[in-house]
Amino acid sequence: MPDSNFCCVCGEHCGFFRWGYKCSVCGKTVCADCSTTYVWGYDRVCDKCYDKIDKSLPSFKVAVSDHIGGHRITKSFGDVENWTLYRDRQCAIDDLKYRAIVLGANAIVSLTIYTGTDEEEGPNGGIHYYSVFKGSAKAVRVEKYNNKTDSKKGLIGSEIEKLVSQLKNGYLSEEEFKEAKRILLKKNKSN
C-alpha cells in the first residue's frame, strides 16, 4: 500500500516544501504541481481526474424531465444539488454536471433550477439586488437504444417501473397493478 504522503500522480514526497492536497474526486494525495485545477472554485482536483471530467463533459446529457429521447436509464446514482448559490444559471447546471460525473453518471434528469435574489452594497452606497440560482437533479447513467426491439423492451421496462412505483406509493392496489402489468405485457406481445 503506497504511503499517503506521496503524490499519486508524480510520486514525489509531499511535505513542508511540496504541499499535499486531497483530490476531491479520487480522494488520493496529490501535490500542488499535479493539482492545478479547482473545479467550480472550491474543489481541488488532480490533473488525471480533471482530464477524465473534461473529456466526459461534451457527451454529457441534461434533461428537465425523467426522459432523454433515444436513451434509457441503466443506473441511478441518486440526487445531486448545488451547495452554493450562483449568479449564472449555467454555472449552477455545470456544477450539477460535475457532481454527477464524480459519481460516475453521464447524465442528469429531473433538473430543477431555483431562482432567488440576493443583495450587496453598491459602489455608491445603495443596495444592489441580483438573481441567484441553485439546482437539483438526479444523476444517472444512460445509453442509447440499440434498435427498435431494444427500444420496445426499454419502454415496457420503464412502464412497469412506473407501475411498481405507483404500487409502492399506494396509488395502485395489488389487483390494479397486476391488471395493468398484464395489459402492458399483452400490448408488447402484439407489437
Side-chain angles (χ1 to χ4, degrees):
M1 185 171 150
D3 187 349
S4 64
N5 290 330
F6 289 89
C7 175
C8 68
V9 178
C10 67
E12 293 291 323
H13 184 269
C14 296
F16 185 73
F17 294 107
R18 180 182 292 270
W19 288 96
Y21 300 92
K22 182 178 178 183
C23 174
S24 297
V25 177
C26 66
K28 296 178 182 174
T29 300
V30 62
C31 70
D33 293 338
C34 297
S35 62
T36 56
T37 308
Y38 286 89
V39 180
W40 310 122
Y42 51 87
D43 286 344
R44 194 167 194 138
V45 179
C46 73
D47 293 346
K48 282 183 180 179
C49 290
Y50 182 75
D51 288 343
K52 289 178 193 173
I53 291 170
D54 196 41
K55 286 177 185 173
S56 62
L57 278 175
S59 63
F60 199 87
K61 309 281 185 223
V62 177
V64 176
S65 69
D66 280 339
H67 175 70
I68 297 177
H71 293 76
R72 67 174 173 200
I73 296 173
T74 58
K75 186 173 182 179
S76 179
F77 295 94
D79 294 336
V80 290
E81 63 182 48
N82 298 128
W83 295 343
T84 59
L85 297 173
Y86 291 93
R87 286 189 174 197
D88 183 11
R89 184 179 193 276
Q90 189 59 47
C91 285
I93 294 171
D94 289 344
D95 182 28
L96 293 174
K97 287 181 185 179
Y98 159 70
R99 294 184 186 290
I101 288 171
V102 169
L103 295 173
N106 66 352
I108 53 176
V109 296
S110 300
L111 173 65
T112 305
I113 298 293
Y114 307 100
T115 305
T117 56
D118 205 352
E119 61 184 51
E120 65 186 3
E121 190 173 324
N124 297 328
I127 294 179
H128 169 70
Y129 295 95
Y130 56 92
S131 296
V132 289
F133 302 93
K134 189 174 183 177
S136 66
K138 292 179 189 173
V140 295
R141 178 158 287 284
V142 297
E143 64 182 35
K144 282 190 169 192
Y145 288 123
N146 292 330
N147 54 39
K148 286 192 174 194
T149 59
D150 194 21
S151 177
K152 286 180 187 174
K153 287 178 187 174
L155 290 175
I156 194 74
S158 66
E159 291 297 319
I160 290 175
E161 285 178 15
K162 288 178 186 175
L163 289 175
V164 170
S165 175
Q166 291 175 348
L167 176 67
K168 286 180 181 178
N169 293 326
Y171 298 119
L172 290 176
S173 69
E174 188 73 36
E175 293 302 316
E176 292 170 324
F177 169 75
K178 288 178 183 176
E179 181 63 19
K181 183 178 174 185
R182 186 187 66 75
I183 291 169
L184 274 174
L185 293 174
K186 185 177 180 181
K187 188 186 298 185
N188 188 46
K189 281 184 182 179
S190 65
N191 290 335

